[in-house]
Amino acid sequence: MAPLLDALPAPLLHAPMVLQHPELQTMFDGLYPPGHQWYWRADFVETIPDDAVSLHAKFGAEVPTMQSTMHLYPIDGAAHDVGQDATPWAYRHANWASVYAGVDPDPANAELITRWTVDYFDALHPYSAGGAYVNMMMDEGQERVRASYRDNYARLARIKADRDPDNVFRLNQNIQPAPKPTHGARP
């Protein structure tokens, strides 16, 4: 991190340390209490070319509220050691997961934070690998869910048809049950 930190102004938050997973999951609870307005978008990223860096700088300078943010999580190590079809996650070749989040406690700012997030995402999406971590997506539609699982979606849809044929668990980023095979057809 030293070359990066030497090249940039001091970051507002920089805390490299070893953490237990529960500590990481609660690290920002004080900054983001329940009840705030949130709007998310996300992508997986393989490379970050100079044009993308310029766009990140532009949107960072236009952050609409103090709590709005962009995170860039590294994907490395063991994540790359598993085959693309070994689990539902199909972006093991990606090097980062990017998250754009407009956040504010005032409901009157919902449109402001949503517009900034969507514009930021739209500007950077052409530099993405295509899909995203579905827990960091909002109302982006079924095609975006499919893109996030790629070729693994069909297998998940078959499992869903077997385990949840009535699609009871359909909120958030739904995997729709595969259609039932017609009589006499082999699965």
Side-chain angles (χ1 to χ4, degrees):
M1 295 287 302
L4 176 64
L5 293 172
D6 290 344
L8 300 171
L12 293 175
L13 176 66
H14 177 68
M17 66 185 89
V18 175
L19 291 174
Q20 296 299 314
H21 191 70
E23 293 172 300
L24 174 64
Q25 294 300 311
T26 60
M27 182 179 264
F28 297 103
D29 287 358
L31 182 60
Y32 296 107
H36 285 199
Q37 310 301 303
W38 284 77
Y39 192 86
W40 298 74
R41 288 284 173 104
D43 264 322
F44 288 123
V45 178
E46 294 174 26
T47 62
I48 306 173
D50 290 346
D51 289 345
V53 172
S54 296
L55 287 167
H56 283 298
K58 172 189 179 298
F59 283 94
E62 298 170 357
V63 67
T65 64
M66 191 283 283
Q67 292 174 309
S68 295
T69 187
M70 186 282 231
H71 298 176
L72 195 59
Y73 298 101
I75 301 170
D76 53 15
H80 293 277
D81 296 340
V82 177
Q84 298 282 49
D85 62 352
T87 71
W89 184 36
Y91 284 88
R92 293 184 177 278
H93 65 286
N95 292 306
W96 296 276
S98 60
V99 180
Y100 315 95
V103 186
D104 195 70
D106 187 349
N109 288 330
E111 176 57 33
L112 174 71
I113 63 174
T114 300
R115 178 78 307 174
W116 175 81
T117 303
V118 170
D119 289 350
Y120 197 170
F121 169 84
D122 286 349
L124 270 295
H125 185 67
Y127 300 96
S128 78
Y133 180 54
V134 295
N135 285 4
M136 296 177 176
M137 291 169 48
M138 298 281 293
D139 57 353
E140 298 167 52
Q142 192 61 35
E143 287 307 310
R144 183 86 165 119
V145 174
R146 286 177 177 272
S148 293
Y149 291 108
R150 288 182 158 166
D151 294 339
N152 297 330
Y153 186 90
R155 178 171 43 119
L156 292 169
R158 288 190 305 272
I159 293 168
K160 181 85 176 262
D162 182 53
R163 301 293 182 191
D164 182 19
D166 297 326
N167 205 21
V168 172
F169 298 100
R170 64 184 172 277
L171 300 179
N172 298 326
Q173 309 311 327
N174 186 31
I175 295 171
Q176 297 174 341
K180 294 180 181 178
T182 59
H183 184 69
R186 301 187 111 192

